[in-house]
Amino acid sequence: MSKSYSHIFTSESVGEGHPDKVADYISDTILDACLSVDPDSRVACETLVKSNVVIVAGEITTKANLNIDALVRSAIREIGYTTKEIDDKFNAEEVFINNLITKQSPDIAQGVDKTLAEGKDHDKQGAGDQGIMFGYATNETEELMPAPVMYAHRILKELAKRRKSGNPAWLRPDCKSQVTVQYDADNKPVGIDNIVISTQHTNDVSRDEIRDYCRDVVKTAISPELLGDVLNDKEKFLVNPTGLFVVGGPHADTGLTGRKIIVDTYGGMGHHGGGAFSGKDSSKVDRSAAYMCRWVAKHIVAASLADRCELQVAYAIGHPKPVSILINTFGTAKIDEKKIEEAISSLFSFVPEDMVAQLKLKEPIFRQTTFYGHFGKDNLPWETLDSEKLQELTKLLG
């Protein structure tokens, strides 16, 4: 642990079996099923889970012939709620599924479609809704993401990896993590101040065993240089603080699509706009523009034009161009921000149709986003840097 630091910042993550993430994964599973058959599908799918009931609702217009029942059960099974003896209130085989899906409103469709409809003054694809979206990047981690949320994700990824291997058998799907990072005066991570882990378990394991196991998980997820002596301090390393976490998942708490938006983005380090992501196709700028903003911000930081960068865009429903674009480098820009803004305008398009094409957002890739954040993953298009754009931005440094 660092002996000298300027400030601290805390972020959390939730595991695959958390009720809200169960709901998100079902919604994104249905979205991908639509896109795999019909790339032009319009999907706004929301899910609620509680005890042994799953309610799927929303508006979907697609050529795909969906078996909602099979998709829901498959998603729950993949997460790990499979064993009746343990998950007697919520398991893939015995949940009751209510399907309340209808088609997209034609009033919304005409604003988004590339047609010249009555009352519409252009024939381009418009934004699926009004709203504000943000993207953020920082050079404090190799993923160009804030350290607290990335460390919180890494802990739960390691827990899930071990749980799915079957060792130890007492691990269950519902879990949370929280990491507080120490920063120096230059806003660089210098240590871990404290860690909280809550993990569901069977009733045949002791609290000490769980704590020792979680200590080993953290050592795998976070470098020893940052950890210092945190894991040996009972006030700094808290595991299952209530003392017991046997009852979990949707039986213990209601889950709903779109409630973990800060976990999905930057852990509170960067702003979040007005909408959630999961269950929405790319015509909804809530999702596509947030991905685009992250892509652009990541290019700015990767090109060393700034240590931190945040973009905000805003749209009007049915209109193809954003009504505003704002850049903020928090005083870390290496050149004038106006030059960065001009470069962004010349290199990147925030028109919905262009964003969808650039980031391949008609492909069924969204189940990969549900868990452990929508950003900071190498296999997603908005995390992949464009070498030509990066070269053009780097030239601005002279």
Side-chain angles (χ1 to χ4, degrees):
M1 186 189 306
S2 172
K3 294 180 179 179
S4 177
Y5 58 93
S6 169
H7 62 281
I8 60 177
F9 195 93
T10 304
S11 296
E12 71 162 346
S13 181
V14 297
E16 298 171 23
H18 186 281
D20 293 327
K21 277 296 149 197
V22 173
D24 282 345
Y25 194 56
I26 291 171
S27 296
D28 278 333
T29 295
I30 292 171
L31 169 62
D32 276 2
C34 293
L35 295 177
S36 65
V37 175
D38 179 8
D40 295 317
S41 297
R42 294 288 163 74
V43 182
C45 179
E46 300 189 44
T47 304
L48 181 147
V49 294
K50 176 57 186 169
S51 294
N52 63 341
V53 176
V54 176
I55 299 174
V56 182
E59 301 78 45
I60 296 179
T61 301
T62 182
K63 296 176 183 176
N65 184 16
L66 299 176
N67 184 336
I68 296 295
D69 189 275
L71 290 170
V72 169
R73 296 185 194 281
S74 174
I76 296 171
R77 196 175 296 116
E78 288 176 35
I79 290 169
Y81 288 115
T82 57
T83 309
K84 180 181 176 183
E85 289 74 17
I86 299 173
D87 306 311
D88 59 334
K89 297 296 183 181
F90 187 83
N91 68 81
E93 313 311 321
E94 297 191 341
V95 292
F96 293 94
I97 301 169
N98 294 331
N99 180 356
L100 304 180
I101 293 172
T102 62
K103 290 191 175 182
Q104 184 183 57
S105 160
D107 293 346
I108 296 175
Q110 80 165 23
V112 178
D113 291 342
K114 293 173 61 177
T115 56
L116 187 59
E118 182 179 353
K120 187 178 175 184
D121 58 5
H122 62 84
D123 61 356
K124 300 182 181 351
Q125 178 180 335
D129 202 351
Q130 72 170 48
I132 56 172
M133 299 85 207
F134 290 90
Y136 182 84
T138 172
N139 62 7
E140 63 191 69
T141 63
E142 61 182 352
E143 298 92 350
L144 302 187
M145 285 285 289
V149 73
M150 289 309 297
Y151 297 153
H153 288 329
R154 288 177 192 174
I155 290 170
L156 296 190
K157 281 182 182 179
E158 181 65 20
L159 265 180
K161 177 183 175 181
R162 298 185 183 201
R163 171 175 61 84
K164 291 178 179 180
S165 74
N167 184 25
W170 50 260
L171 271 177
R172 304 300 299 130
D174 195 357
C175 55
K176 284 185 174 184
S177 65
Q178 185 172 282
V179 178
T180 300
V181 175
Q182 301 167 343
Y183 286 85
D184 64 15
D186 295 323
N187 211 49
K188 300 300 182 185
V190 292
I192 302 298
D193 188 79
N194 63 79
I195 297 173
V196 182
I197 300 176
S198 295
T199 183
Q200 187 187 7
H201 56 88
T202 58
N203 58 11
D204 57 354
V205 59
S206 71
R207 190 178 182 188
D208 286 342
E209 185 177 350
I210 296 171
R211 180 182 174 85
D212 290 343
Y213 188 82
C214 288
R215 182 183 289 110
D216 184 63
V217 167
V218 172
K219 287 179 180 178
T220 304
I222 302 176
S223 67
E225 293 79 11
L226 288 172
L227 285 172
D229 200 41
V230 166
L231 299 182
N232 296 318
D233 188 333
K234 289 190 176 182
E235 296 299 317
K236 296 287 188 177
F237 182 48
L238 302 172
V239 177
N240 285 4
T242 65
L244 200 64
F245 191 2
V246 174
V247 180
H251 181 46
D253 194 8
T254 303
L256 187 64
T257 299
R259 279 208 298 210
K260 285 291 173 282
I261 59 174
I262 302 304
V263 169
D264 287 343
T265 53
Y266 308 104
M269 188 79 77
H271 288 93
H272 189 104
F277 302 153
S278 288
K280 297 177 181 178
D281 75 90
S282 57
S283 70
K284 282 74 174 174
V285 284
D286 285 337
R287 190 167 207 167
S288 54
Y291 292 170
M292 186 68 187
C293 285
R294 161 63 179 172
W295 194 50
V296 175
K298 187 172 182 179
H299 276 81
I300 299 302
V301 174
S304 298
L305 299 183
D307 294 335
R308 298 162 64 200
C309 181
E310 182 175 80
L311 261 72
Q312 184 208 57
V313 296
Y315 290 87
I317 187 169
H319 281 258
K321 292 183 179 181
V323 297
S324 71
I325 300 177
L326 172 69
I327 182 173
N328 183 4
T329 61
F330 307 94
T332 69
K334 306 300 187 289
I335 62 172
D336 189 274
E337 278 192 1
K338 289 295 182 183
K339 290 186 177 181
I340 299 177
E341 290 177 358
E342 291 170 2
I344 289 172
S345 297
S346 65
L347 290 173
F348 300 95
S349 172
F350 288 85
V351 172
E353 183 178 8
D354 295 339
M355 294 190 301
V356 169
Q358 289 175 101
L359 300 181
K360 303 175 183 178
L361 298 180
K362 287 191 176 184
E363 297 181 8
I365 57 176
F366 296 103
R367 296 200 324 155
Q368 302 172 55
T369 68
T370 310
F371 305 128
Y372 317 117
H374 291 238
F375 309 118
K377 299 173 179 175
D378 291 338
N379 58 334
L380 297 172
W382 50 93
E383 293 298 315
T384 303
L385 296 171
D386 183 295
S387 59
E388 293 183 5
K389 288 178 168 51
L390 193 61
Q391 187 176 18
E392 288 300 314
L393 289 169
T394 304
K395 286 180 183 179
L396 295 177
L397 291 172

